[in-house]
Amino acid sequence: MSDFDAKAATWDQDPIKVERATTVGRAIAGSVVVEGRTILEYGCGTGLLGFVLQPIAGHVTLADTSAGMLEVLRGKVAATGAANMTPLRLDLLADPLPAGRFDLVCSLMTLHHIPDTPGILEKFHQVLAPGGWVALSDLDAEDGSFHGKDVTNVHPGFDRTALGRQLEAAGFREIRFSTVFEIPRETASGPRRFPVFLALGRKG
């Protein structure tokens, strides 16, 4: 069982996670056209972000590699009767690409868990339809305090300029960043607030 599998059952009980997803979802919907569009949420967890976009989206595919998260997600989809949502076990860096193409690929606090940033950005570009958008929300570069010194298999956030260059190298254009949230967190040196950005890019 992975760490995310173990946390899945209580994931939605954290009000900060719910507020973060709601805020980021509204920022995405206010920045690109979501209404009636096909969306891939990658690293969806329990689908908090996807459920914010679902009421206006055409269809939302919710992809993750955690069996525990997907189990909770399937229960939520069944309970709400959201017919335009499809949970999917998918690792874009290892599995074949989905057959369809999407108008929007989005993720929330997922990118820093993926070791190969250029590789996943290229995959996002490949699964988008022409003119489609990517909307990635994650941590600004930090000193490792967010996860703590014992967690070493994650990126310590992202420098916006460097990530913008990687997005451009993957084929994205009209790239722009904004700050959409701050996560309050207790760290070894005391309470801090960690900025969360939203990076947008369009398939050229």
Side-chain angles (χ1 to χ4, degrees), residues 40-189:
L40 171 66
E41 183 191 354
Y42 190 71
C44 64
T46 62
L48 287 174
L49 176 60
F51 273 99
V52 176
L53 301 174
Q54 177 268 333
I56 59 175
H59 190 273
V60 184
T61 299
L62 303 115
D64 207 291
T65 59
S66 166
M69 290 288 186
L70 289 171
E71 181 180 0
V72 172
L73 172 59
R74 291 187 185 100
K76 290 169 64 175
V77 171
T80 57
N84 65 336
M85 302 186 88
T86 302
L88 176 67
R89 196 279 174 198
L90 177 66
D91 181 345
L92 276 175
L93 290 174
D95 299 329
L97 298 183
R101 293 295 175 262
F102 302 93
D103 300 311
L104 171 67
V105 174
C106 61
S107 74
L108 172 56
M109 299 294 287
T110 296
L111 199 60
H112 71 267
H113 289 284
I114 301 173
D116 184 3
T117 304
I120 197 64
L121 296 180
E122 289 176 5
K123 294 296 184 180
F124 289 162
H125 191 270
Q126 290 172 24
V127 300
L128 279 170
W133 287 89
V134 69
L136 310 175
S137 191
D138 216 299
L139 293 166
D140 275 305
E142 46 97 15
D143 61 4
S145 299
F146 184 83
H147 289 94
K149 61 182 178 62
D150 295 331
V151 180
T152 58
N153 60 341
V154 296
H155 296 283
F158 296 90
D159 175 83
R160 298 187 187 193
T161 300
L163 183 58
R165 290 183 183 131
Q166 291 177 322
L167 283 162
E168 188 173 9
F172 291 101
R173 301 294 179 263
E174 301 178 44
I175 299 163
R176 58 187 187 270
F177 287 79
S178 60
T179 301
V180 291
F181 196 71
E182 287 188 342
I183 302 173
R185 202 159 181 114
E186 288 294 331
T187 72
S189 58

